[in-house]
Amino acid sequence: GEDVEQSLFLSVREGDSSVINCTYTDSSSTYLYWYKQEPGAGLQLLTYIFSNMDMKQDQRLTVLLNKKDKHLSLRIADTQTGDSAIYFCAERPPGTYKYIFGTGTRLKVLA
Amino acid sequence: DAGVIQSPRHEVTEMGQEVTLRCKPISGHDYLFWYRQTMMRGLELLIYFNNNVPIDDSGMPEDRFSAKMPNASFSTLKIQPSEPRDSAVYFCASSSAGPYEQYFGPGTRLTVT
């Protein structure tokens, strides 16, 4: 497909792990990104992964990349109420500096 | 660095008026992007610049929209005349070489009545 796809909503309990999934469009995309958007704010870069990597860990965040299936996931360990936000994945196809953003997943963390 | 700066943060205008949105990218970044975000259409890339030159404006909705980057530290997005369907949050982002991660400004919330 031509769209970067994400599920719209995810609800988890505080302290649990959250997994946000993304299916992207171009298997040759060089970099893939995760952004967080809190209400009334701009997008904040959380992390990115280069396409020759399968996994990247950064504190509570773990990114998994499956190039064969064009699947990207973001795992947030020990999810906190402050993690409630919209999470966007994005890909940068080769030969362009444009990003293709997903539709965003709204994460709600229940206390 | 103060990050990407956008002004104004909020703009309310009447249909038919001219609107100018402003952006100051992060110093040293040579790419600048303008996005529009709405509930219905999500995040849309409108145009992007490299070294002050427009590279891809295929996302600009129509001739009522124009963007300029007169120097490395300033860009404008102008809508003339504005229409209610232009109501959205407009983001500016900048990036530099490497992974080209984009850094977003806080956005301008535009309401056209």
Side-chain angles (χ1 to χ4, degrees):
Chain A
E2 293 192 359
D3 294 335
V4 177
E5 297 181 349
Q6 299 180 241
S7 53
L8 290 180
F9 299 102
L10 177 65
S11 179
V12 300
R13 296 208 173 274
E14 191 175 19
D16 288 349
S17 292
S18 309
V19 179
I20 303 170
N21 295 302
C22 170
T23 302
Y24 59 99
T25 65
D26 191 331
S27 59
S28 55
S29 285
T30 313
Y31 290 97
L32 298 119
Y33 308 83
W34 282 104
Y35 281 82
K36 175 184 180 182
Q37 186 179 31
E38 297 185 43
L43 278 70
Q44 173 195 355
L45 177 68
L46 287 177
T47 187
Y48 65 89
I49 187 168
F50 188 47
S51 58
N52 69 352
M53 299 169 68
D54 296 327
M55 184 181 82
K56 180 178 181 181
Q57 188 152 2
D58 185 359
Q59 299 183 345
R60 292 191 298 123
L61 306 179
T62 302
V63 178
L64 295 178
L65 175 61
N66 180 331
K67 286 180 63 178
K68 174 177 170 292
D69 295 335
K70 293 184 285 187
H71 187 262
L72 183 72
S73 67
L74 175 70
R75 179 178 180 268
I76 306 173
D78 187 25
T79 312
Q80 303 298 307
T81 54
D83 295 324
S84 293
I86 302 175
Y87 290 80
F88 293 90
C89 66
E91 61 175 325
R92 187 169 73 85
T96 178
Y97 302 104
K98 295 164 58 170
Y99 285 13
I100 304 174
F101 279 91
T103 50
T105 299
R106 185 178 296 271
L107 174 65
K108 183 174 182 180
V109 182
L110 305 173
Chain B
D1 200 312
V4 176
I5 299 172
Q6 292 186 247
S7 64
R9 292 295 311 277
H10 302 273
E11 176 81 39
V12 180
T13 190
E14 292 184 347
M15 179 177 170
Q17 296 298 306
E18 177 180 295
V19 175
T20 299
L21 311 181
R22 297 172 176 80
C23 175
K24 176 177 166 53
I26 292 172
S27 177
H29 282 188
D30 47 8
Y31 289 89
L32 184 139
F33 305 80
W34 281 102
Y35 291 89
R36 177 172 69 176
Q37 186 179 40
T38 61
M39 289 291 290
M40 291 297 294
R41 301 175 68 91
L43 197 61
E44 303 174 276
L45 176 66
L46 301 178
I47 185 171
Y48 80 93
F49 295 82
N50 177 219
N51 291 325
N52 314 337
V53 176
I55 302 299
D56 186 339
D57 65 355
S58 59
M60 295 287 262
E62 47 199 274
D63 291 345
R64 298 184 297 107
F65 286 67
S66 62
K68 293 182 180 179
M69 192 164 186
N71 59 61
S73 58
F74 184 65
S75 177
T76 60
L77 178 68
K78 186 176 293 187
I79 309 172
Q80 166 63 18
S82 58
E83 297 183 3
R85 60 193 168 117
D86 302 329
S87 296
V89 181
Y90 291 81
F91 290 104
C92 175
S94 69
S95 71
S96 61
Y100 299 102
E101 62 265 37
Q102 295 182 17
Y103 294 88
F104 281 72
T108 296
R109 181 173 295 276
L110 173 65
T111 303
V112 183
T113 61

